[in-house]
């Protein structure tokens, strides 16, 4: 029951703070010394308990009359920071477990499959626990005569049953506890099951450079910029679709009781088709997979708003959207290690920049989530969206159609154009792989010769 204005401030400040912490964490990771657990794993180990605590406190309603806004702002920013401390090193682990491109691609496919599966599981847990609390919709007549929405919501809160509100608070706390337990379980599996290999990410002759020099080198690497740009618009397209599809199903299509199952169909379809896209990119190349995978959603996004409301057609669209979501999840992350390999060949004298590459990648993921949230909130508010209304004005239906169809289609087409400019195709990737193998072979040979000479000198 925090005022909508303050809730927006909390989300905005949290996203801005998140934008600051991503490169900061990347910087500190690049300066971290190797330990017996590795360079990245200590960040995951020590951030996990604090991240769980802050996540739990986000859903806790403190018994204070003042200071609630500051409470949620502090713990929301803390949670964003601690998730960054987990997600950046977790993503960068791909570069620290193998030198082989095929093994990195396979690891990325497994990682994204389980990430999407985790999203399905988290959505199901939160949805089922919180959804059991009855929160009936409000008839449009309730809003008639109200001069502004804040007065309407104040009247609503006064009439809202206190027992129902308590049940809702308890449901969110239970869901937070279950998801926090899953967080611990997954972190333990990662800790016990994955080992970093220092030699997988760097050449023996590498000399470290400062963070700002490394940042300048990274941001001047054109393949990385083009990949980030394509990834940015692709992510924004699918986040707009994902963020507004539930409202679209509920109000525009009239499937109030089915939208959870429709969203579940999207995520299950994405989970099951990631292995297919892994095979496809291995067989036909990553750029071809990008064109086919991401563009396959376009005709279905058009169909769902052109045809009359039909539950069967909606499920078909949901499955098709999930197939494209799988490609959008997997392919950009699968292409990032290729960019890092290309960077290493062009700058063989620097190392330790993997965290910088991945931190900005993670940042743009979160940035697009914030932009998507802002676009959706402002557009629906401008159209006259009524919170918890049983029905919505005609302008809201039109806005929802734009947010789940026209805008995502335009962003997908723009991202495909940017991916067309991405220079690392399969031929370039094979050449880079061979060049890196030759370079490492030379480095290992030189290192072996130096070791032999040192041993001979010590004997003499």
């Amino acid at each position: 029951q925090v005022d909508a204005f303050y809730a927006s401030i909390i989300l905005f400040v949290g996203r801005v703070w998140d934008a600051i912490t991503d490169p900061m964490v990347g910087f500190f990771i690049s300066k971290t010394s190797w330990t017996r657990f590795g360079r990245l794993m200590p960040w995951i180990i020590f951030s996990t308990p604090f991240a769980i605590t802050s996540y739990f406190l986000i859903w806790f309603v403190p018994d204070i009359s003042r200071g609630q806004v500051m409470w949620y702002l502090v713990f929301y920013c803390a949670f964003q920071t601690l998730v960054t401390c987990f997600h950046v090193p977790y993503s960068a682990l791909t570069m620290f477990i193998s030198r082989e491109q095929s093994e990195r691609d396979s690891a990325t496919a497994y990682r994204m499959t389980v990430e999407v599966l985790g999203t399905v599981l988290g959505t199901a847990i939160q949805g089922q626990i919180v959804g059991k609390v009855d929160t009936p919709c409000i008839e449009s007549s309730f809003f008639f005569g109200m001069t502004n929405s804040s007065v309407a919501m104040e009247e609503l809160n006064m009439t809202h049953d206190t027992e129902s509100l308590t049940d809702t608070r308890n449901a969110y706390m239970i869901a937070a506890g279950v998801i926090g337990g899953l967080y611990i379980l997954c972190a333990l599996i990662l800790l016990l099951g994955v080992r970093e290999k220092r030699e997988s990410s760097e050449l023996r002759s590498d000399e470290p450079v400062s963070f700002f020099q490394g940042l300048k080198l990274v941001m001047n690497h054109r393949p990385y910029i083009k990949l980030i740009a394509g990834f940015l618009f692709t992510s924004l397209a699918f986040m707009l679709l994902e963020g507004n599809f539930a409202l679209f199903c509920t109000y525009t299509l009239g499937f109030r009781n089915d939208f959870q199952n429709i969203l579940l169909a999207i995520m299950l379809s994405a989970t099951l088709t990631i292995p297919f896209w892994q095979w496809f990119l291995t067989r036909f190349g990553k750029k071809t997979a990008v064109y086919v995978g991401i563009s396959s959603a376009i005709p279905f996004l058009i169909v769902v708003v052109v045809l009359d409301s039909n539950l069967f057609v909606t499920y078909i669209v949901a499955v098709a959207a999930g197939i494209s979501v799988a490609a959008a999840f997997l392919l950009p992350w699968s292409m990032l290690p290729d960019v890092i390999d290309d960077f290493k060949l062009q700058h063989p004298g620097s190392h330790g920049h993997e965290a910088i590459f991945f931190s900005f990648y993670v940042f743009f993921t979160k940035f697009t989530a914030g932009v998507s949230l802002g676009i959706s909130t402002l557009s629906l508010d401008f159209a006259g969206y009524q919170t918890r209304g049983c029905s919505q004005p005609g302008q809201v239906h039109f806005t929802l159609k734009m947010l789940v169809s026209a805008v995502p289609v335009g962003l997908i087409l723009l991202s495909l154009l940017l991916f067309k400019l991405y220079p690392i195709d399969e031929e370039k990737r094979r050449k880079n792989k061979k060049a890196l193998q030759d370079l490492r072979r030379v480095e290992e040979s030189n290192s072996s010769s130096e070791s032999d000479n040192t041993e001979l000198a010590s004997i003499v």
Side-chain angles (χ1 to χ4, degrees):
Q1 297 191 27
V2 173
D3 185 87
F5 172 76
Y6 292 114
S8 300
I9 292 295
I10 292 169
L11 291 172
F12 176 76
V13 173
R15 293 296 180 180
V16 171
W17 176 247
D18 200 20
I20 297 172
T21 57
D22 280 311
M24 283 176 59
V25 169
F27 164 70
F28 289 122
I29 291 175
S30 68
K31 294 296 183 182
T32 302
S33 301
W34 279 84
T35 68
R36 65 190 184 94
F37 296 105
R39 177 195 285 178
L40 305 176
M41 204 62 74
W43 285 83
I44 294 171
I45 296 171
F46 291 112
S47 67
T48 294
F50 298 105
I52 294 168
T53 302
S54 61
Y55 178 75
F56 190 77
L57 292 174
I58 287 175
W59 301 104
F60 177 73
V61 180
D63 188 18
I64 52 178
S65 58
R66 295 183 179 180
Q68 277 194 341
V69 173
M70 186 56 63
W71 171 282
Y72 291 116
L73 178 61
V74 168
F75 287 110
Y76 184 69
C77 290
F79 177 68
Q80 294 289 347
T81 303
L82 293 161
V83 165
T84 298
C85 292
F86 184 102
H87 200 199
V88 171
Y90 166 69
S91 303
L93 269 174
T94 305
M95 299 300 298
F96 287 78
I97 58 178
S98 176
R99 289 179 174 179
E100 292 298 322
Q101 291 179 351
S102 59
E103 292 180 353
R104 290 174 177 175
D105 290 344
S106 177
T108 301
Y110 278 107
R111 178 169 72 86
M112 298 315 301
T113 300
V114 178
E115 278 198 25
V116 177
L117 185 62
T119 305
V120 173
L121 187 60
T123 303
I125 290 171
Q126 185 95 355
Q128 291 301 316
I129 294 176
V130 177
K132 290 185 180 300
V133 180
D134 183 30
T135 51
C137 64
I138 307 163
E139 295 294 340
S140 299
S141 58
F142 175 83
F143 293 94
F144 292 164
M146 294 293 183
T147 56
N148 60 63
S149 60
S150 61
V151 174
M153 292 310 298
E154 183 177 355
E155 179 70 19
L156 170 65
N157 291 334
M158 291 174 62
T159 59
H160 195 280
D161 183 59
T162 305
E163 184 178 349
S164 176
L165 184 62
T166 302
D167 291 341
T168 303
R169 290 173 175 172
N170 292 336
Y172 277 111
M173 292 291 289
I174 293 170
V178 174
I179 292 175
L182 284 175
Y183 197 129
I184 295 175
L185 175 63
C186 295
L188 285 174
I189 293 172
L190 183 67
L191 173 63
L192 299 175
V194 178
R195 289 291 178 268
E196 296 176 56
K197 298 178 181 178
R198 184 172 186 173
E199 67 277 6
S200 294
S201 64
E202 59 187 48
L203 302 175
R204 294 176 184 263
S205 65
D206 289 341
E207 292 296 332
V209 297
S210 70
F211 170 75
F212 293 104
Q213 289 175 320
L215 180 61
K216 184 178 180 180
L217 289 173
V218 167
M219 298 312 293
N220 286 334
H221 191 57
R222 291 189 177 184
Y224 183 61
I225 299 302
K226 292 175 181 177
L227 182 62
I228 275 186
F231 178 52
L232 175 68
F233 289 108
T234 302
S235 299
L236 184 56
F238 284 101
M239 285 182 180
L240 281 172
L241 172 64
E242 181 184 349
N244 295 283
F245 201 68
L247 294 176
F248 178 73
C249 291
T250 299
Y251 294 113
T252 304
L253 299 182
F255 302 138
R256 175 180 295 275
N257 297 324
D258 296 287
F259 78 87
Q260 288 184 338
N261 295 329
I262 294 170
L263 290 177
L264 189 62
I266 293 176
M267 301 311 295
L268 285 176
S269 172
T271 304
L272 296 174
T273 51
I274 283 180
F276 165 76
W277 289 118
Q278 173 63 20
W279 169 83
F280 191 97
L281 68 86
T282 304
R283 178 68 176 82
F284 299 102
K286 296 180 182 180
K287 288 189 70 171
T288 303
V290 167
Y291 300 145
V292 175
I294 297 176
S295 63
S296 62
I298 293 177
F300 295 97
L301 294 179
I302 296 173
V303 165
V304 77
V305 299
V306 171
L307 296 182
D308 293 335
S309 177
N310 185 294
L311 186 60
F312 179 73
V313 172
T314 305
Y315 271 109
I316 293 177
V317 171
V319 172
I323 295 172
S324 283
V325 166
F329 263 92
L330 171 66
L331 290 165
W333 288 105
S334 180
M335 296 161 80
L336 181 56
D338 302 335
V339 172
I340 297 175
D341 286 342
D342 187 71
F343 175 83
K344 287 181 178 179
L345 285 174
Q346 294 188 26
H347 305 279
S350 29
H351 74 89
H353 303 312
E354 295 86 0
I356 300 176
F357 278 101
F358 279 92
S359 65
F360 275 96
Y361 228 48
V362 172
F363 158 69
F364 278 109
T365 304
K366 297 174 181 177
F367 175 77
T368 51
V371 171
S372 170
L373 178 66
I375 291 174
S376 302
T377 303
L378 291 175
S379 300
L380 291 172
D381 185 63
F382 183 76
Y385 175 78
Q386 297 173 357
T387 303
R388 290 177 53 200
C390 294
S391 61
Q392 299 292 341
Q395 297 93 325
V396 172
H397 297 307
F398 176 78
T399 302
L400 287 171
K401 288 182 179 181
M402 293 296 102
L403 292 174
V404 302
S405 181
V407 177
V409 167
L411 291 170
I412 288 172
L413 293 174
L414 181 56
S415 69
L416 292 175
L417 176 62
L418 292 169
F419 279 123
K420 180 70 175 176
L421 302 175
Y422 175 69
I424 303 179
D425 53 18
E426 287 305 297
E427 182 180 358
K428 175 73 170 174
R429 199 161 72 95
R430 283 192 292 268
K431 288 181 179 179
N432 285 351
K433 178 181 178 180
K434 185 177 185 304
L436 276 174
Q437 289 173 342
D438 293 341
L439 188 57
R440 288 190 175 111
R441 195 176 297 115
V442 170
E443 292 296 331
E444 290 171 358
S445 176
N446 291 340
S447 177
S448 177
S449 298
E450 291 175 4
S451 177
D452 291 341
N453 291 336
T454 302
E455 184 177 355
L456 179 61
S458 64
I459 291 173
V460 172

